[in-house]
Each structure stands twice: as C-alpha cells, then as structure tokens.
Amino acid sequence: MKTRLSFLFIFFFCLVVSGFAAPVDLEYKETSVNDEFAKVDKLEKFLADHPEATLETVKKNHPELLEGYQLVTTTETNLLTPQEMPIAGGFWWGCCLGIVGLGLVYFITDNDHDEVRKALWGCVISTIFWGLGGLWDPFGWF
C-alpha cells in the first residue's frame, strides 16, 4: 500500500513540476537553416581558395565572412587538464577504499601521476595498518 502511494505521489509531483517547463520551439525552419549554411559555405569556399589565410587575415581583409559568428580565439581548453578528486585527495581515496579507490583516482583524474601515486600510498598504508591490526589482536576481537 505504501509503495503505491509513494509511486502516485512521485508521479503527480513529476506531472505538476513538468507543467512549469517552458515550451520549446522544435519547428524546423528550412530557410533559417539554409541561411546559416550559406554563410558557412562562403567561408569554406574562401578558405579552400586561399589555404594560406589565417584568422587574422580574414578578420582584416574580409570581415563580412565572419559576420554573425562568435569565435573563440584562445586555444585554452579544459579537456586536457587533470581533474581534481572530489571531497578528498587521492591519498584518502586510496586509504579508505583500497584498490577500488586507486582505480577511481586513476579514471577520474585521467591518470594524473601525482594523484595516482598518492592513492597508491594510501592503499599501501591502509593495507599495512589493517594487516598489522589483524596480526596483533590484544583483546581477541578478531
């Protein structure tokens, strides 16, 4: 009975919340698509005819080809920077989760050698700590 009530509550909650969503214009407008591609075609044809052209020369000599575009001129990107581990550093991930934490650090940081080394040390230290704890049991708990 509780499961049905929970399901109905969640269903109606989602139904009410979805009513607040703004309508999306999904209408296909062929003329606007063709206009955008016509601009790209002009720029592509110019670049094919002038392979030595750079962004600066196109901006200076033919600014009409770049009209309506928002260009990013920097080459900085976030794709190649290593990610930082959430919540805690790599050492604590390796220390608390062992080999699983080591794997998580490896994949999340995209093989950032420094973080993986810290996670490995955390894994080794926790293994030694728990291994010694198993050998030395003064109270007979284990």
Side-chain angles (χ1 to χ4, degrees):
M1 183 67 177
K2 283 186 177 182
T3 333
R4 281 190 193 155
L5 288 175
S6 300
F7 176 74
L8 285 174
F9 176 74
I10 292 171
F11 176 74
F12 284 116
F13 178 75
C14 291
L15 189 66
V16 169
V17 170
S18 67
F20 293 114
V24 178
D25 182 22
L26 297 177
E27 183 180 337
Y28 174 70
K29 298 175 182 136
E30 187 175 352
T31 55
S32 64
V33 172
N34 288 339
D35 290 343
E36 291 298 320
F37 277 110
K39 292 181 202 176
V40 174
D41 288 339
K42 288 178 187 176
L43 180 60
E44 183 180 21
K45 184 174 181 186
F46 176 79
L47 293 175
D49 293 341
H50 304 90
E52 72 283 345
T54 64
L55 179 60
E56 294 304 319
T57 59
V58 173
K59 278 182 180 178
K60 184 192 279 185
N61 300 333
H62 302 283
E64 70 278 358
L65 293 174
L66 299 175
E67 188 175 304
Y69 294 112
Q70 295 177 350
L71 300 175
V72 177
T73 58
T74 62
T75 57
E76 296 173 5
T77 163
N78 290 335
L79 297 176
L80 299 177
T81 58
Q83 299 291 324
E84 292 194 17
M85 289 302 297
I87 301 171
F91 174 82
W92 291 109
W93 282 90
C95 188
C96 295
L97 296 178
I99 195 74
V100 174
L102 181 65
L104 286 171
V105 169
Y106 178 83
F107 288 113
I108 290 174
T109 63
D110 197 26
N111 194 15
D112 179 17
H113 297 292
D114 189 42
E115 286 293 320
V116 172
R117 187 178 314 113
K118 290 177 186 176
L120 179 64
W121 276 111
C123 185
V124 167
I125 289 173
S126 70
T127 303
I128 291 171
F129 177 74
W130 289 110
L132 290 177
L135 292 176
W136 181 66
D137 185 19
F139 301 110
W141 292 348
F142 299 104

